[in-house]
Amino acid sequence: MSNTATLSTDNKQTWGGGKSPLSISYGKLMMWVFLLSDAFTFSSLLVAYGFVRFTFTTSLPNAIVKPFSHLSHTFTEEMQKAGLFVTERWPSPELVFNHFPFLHGIHLPLMFVSLMTFILIFSSVTMVLAVEAGHRMAKKEVEKYMLWTIIGGAAFLGCQAWEWTNLITEGASLQNNPFGPTAFAALFFIVTGFHGTHVLSGVILNIVIYINVINGTYEKRGHYEMVEKVGLYWHFVDLVWVFVFTFFYLI
Amino acid sequence: MDHIEHLEHTESPANMKKQIWNTFYVLLVLTVVDIALYFALLSSHSIYKNILFVFLGLVKAFYIVSVFMHMKFERKFLASIIILPMLFICFLIWLALTEAGYTFDSRLF
């Protein structure tokens, strides 16, 4: 396109002032820079997790519990006796994250967290569809997709609250961990809590934008760029979840 | 002030909606592959397994950033401003894991 041609042939014109050299608005550029700094914060938390994880031997292979088998009330104690939940070894995630709402008493490894991942990816899709509708100035469509995004975010938060409650009831906290090393529970609560706080602020921002869209603020302004800016933040939250999911539940 | 004009908006392609849904399916399939591989490789403790999961995570991250966050259609210069600083993280990972290796040894002996 002509933009790129200008960039390569006439550098002075691109950086000479009077227009955005990156062809992006101030607000969007600042959102990107903020996301970069936030990426550093999350990276340091995940690197701290990686450090601690690396200092422990890996879990023993589980040959006792099969998926869909019966999950007793004393499951944690049984695992401790079987030597699968010991303080010297990192626990196997499939034995820790194995509950599902309304399906009490069935061993369903990683099923709930897969659902959470699916919800977050889906709300990311509805967000980008809202941005796309904003480009076409289709107010009704932006409203619809923003609402779905808010519902998705709220559903994710609800899932996380359920999972936390479950783990806390079993005795996990920042100082205590029935599944193995104390650091496992502490890091889990800190990192997922930090991510959850981001989701919460994302949902609040989405609600603010949603109200503005309904009131026609962006219709009057002539563009829906605010939706794009908040969209960037929302996708970033999804992006972080990809890595939280990989490191806490898969590795 | 007459040439403080419109920002030449980096245009989305006409088939943006299709691209969005395709990206969604890619992310969905990759997540299912993740879970399937987790159970298929449950008894393996190879470092390559971890590298594989991180690689799949990076592929998902690439799709989210490039299509959902629109980075594919922005200026290359903006992409480098945001992505190149992440190389510092690779350095941090290398430092932390080297150090963690020594801590691991000190736990054993």
Side-chain angles (χ1 to χ4, degrees), chain A residues 27-247:
Chain A
K28 247 164 105 180
L29 182 61
M30 287 301 108
M31 181 50 95
W32 271 113
V33 173
F34 164 70
L35 292 183
L36 178 62
S37 75
D38 221 16
F40 279 143
T41 313
F42 272 110
S43 303
S44 38
L45 283 172
L46 285 174
V47 169
Y49 167 83
F51 183 102
V52 177
R53 174 76 179 79
F54 208 69
T55 62
F56 281 95
T57 33
T58 43
S59 49
L60 291 170
N62 155 39
I64 314 169
V65 209
K66 295 269 170 282
F68 309 111
S69 63
H70 176 67
L71 192 63
S72 74
H73 285 287
T74 53
F75 182 76
T76 313
E77 287 82 27
E78 283 165 29
M79 288 300 109
Q80 283 164 348
K81 280 200 198 94
L84 290 166
F85 285 170
V86 284
T87 44
E88 302 82 45
R89 282 178 179 278
W90 208 255
S92 183
E94 54 137 3
L95 296 174
V96 180
F97 309 105
N98 57 355
H99 294 75
F100 202 96
F102 310 115
L103 293 172
H104 203 67
I106 307 173
H107 176 63
L108 292 165
L110 301 185
M111 287 304 136
F112 191 52
V113 71
S114 313
L115 178 72
M116 284 165 75
T117 308
F118 173 77
I119 291 173
L120 208 58
I121 291 175
F122 198 76
S123 82
S124 221
V125 173
T126 53
M127 185 80 217
V128 78
L129 287 172
V131 171
E132 195 269 339
H135 282 154
R136 291 185 281 109
M137 299 295 289
K139 183 170 174 250
K140 279 275 166 266
E141 271 187 71
V142 180
E143 273 176 30
K144 181 179 85 182
Y145 288 128
M146 282 308 293
L147 186 61
W148 277 113
T149 310
I150 293 165
I151 291 171
F156 181 85
L157 282 174
C159 291
Q160 204 164 43
W162 189 86
E163 193 178 38
W164 273 41
T165 312
N166 210 8
L167 292 173
I168 292 168
T169 325
E170 285 183 50
S173 70
L174 290 177
Q175 294 103 23
N176 192 30
N177 181 14
F179 314 114
T182 315
F184 174 81
L187 281 160
F188 175 81
F189 284 124
I190 289 170
V191 177
T192 57
F194 202 63
H195 176 264
T197 313
H198 276 74
V199 178
L200 178 65
S201 36
V203 169
I204 293 169
L205 285 173
N206 281 344
I207 291 173
V208 171
I209 298 297
Y210 180 58
I211 293 170
N212 280 346
V213 172
I214 291 177
N215 288 343
T217 312
Y218 308 124
E219 194 79 16
K220 272 181 229 137
R221 198 177 284 175
H223 59 80
Y224 279 84
E225 207 191 66
M226 265 327 273
V227 181
E228 280 180 57
K229 285 176 213 162
V230 175
L232 282 178
Y233 179 76
W234 191 250
H235 298 312
F236 175 75
V237 170
D238 185 28
L239 182 67
V240 169
W241 181 255
V242 166
F243 289 102
V244 172
F245 174 68
T246 304
F247 289 115

Side-chain angles (χ1 to χ4, degrees), chain A residues 3 18 20-25 29 36 40 43 47 51 55 59 93-94 110 114 118 125 128 232 235 239 250, chain B residues 3-4 7-8 12 20 24 28 34-35 38 42 45 61 68-69 75 77-78 82 85 89 96 100 103-104 107:
Chain A
N3 295 351
S20 163
L22 298 173
S23 189
I24 188 172
S25 75
L29 182 61
L36 178 62
F40 279 143
S43 303
V47 169
F51 183 102
T55 62
S59 49
E94 54 137 3
L110 301 185
S114 313
F118 173 77
V125 173
V128 78
L232 282 178
H235 298 312
L239 182 67
L250 295 177
Chain B
H3 57 272
I4 303 184
L7 294 164
E8 297 140 42
S12 307
I20 292 168
F24 170 69
L28 195 63
D34 259 344
I35 306 276
Y38 176 83
L42 199 54
H45 286 312
F68 286 180
M69 295 172 95
R75 289 271 170 89
F77 196 84
L78 175 67
I82 302 303
I89 300 302
T103 314
F104 176 73
R107 274 194 215 272

Side-chain angles (χ1 to χ4, degrees), chain B residues 5 17 22 27 32 35-37 42-43 71 90 92 107:
Chain B
E5 26 59 293
K17 251 188 178 163
N22 284 346
L27 292 175
V32 172
I35 306 276
L37 279 176
L42 199 54
S43 52
M71 193 59 117
C90 300
L92 181 65
R107 274 194 215 272

Side-chain angles (χ1 to χ4, degrees), chain B residues 15-28:
Chain B
N15 63 346
M16 191 62 197
K17 251 188 178 163
K18 201 165 170 238
Q19 281 204 31
I20 292 168
W21 283 109
N22 284 346
T23 311
F24 170 69
Y25 294 131
V26 169
L27 292 175
L28 195 63

Side-chain angles (χ1 to χ4, degrees), chain B residues 34-62:
Chain B
D34 259 344
I35 306 276
L37 279 176
Y38 176 83
F39 287 107
L41 304 172
L42 199 54
S43 52
S44 143
H45 286 312
S46 158
I47 187 77
Y48 297 109
K49 185 179 95 167
N50 295 352
I51 292 173
L52 179 67
F53 282 132
V54 174
F55 174 74
L56 285 172
L58 287 173
V59 173
K60 280 191 265 183
F62 170 79

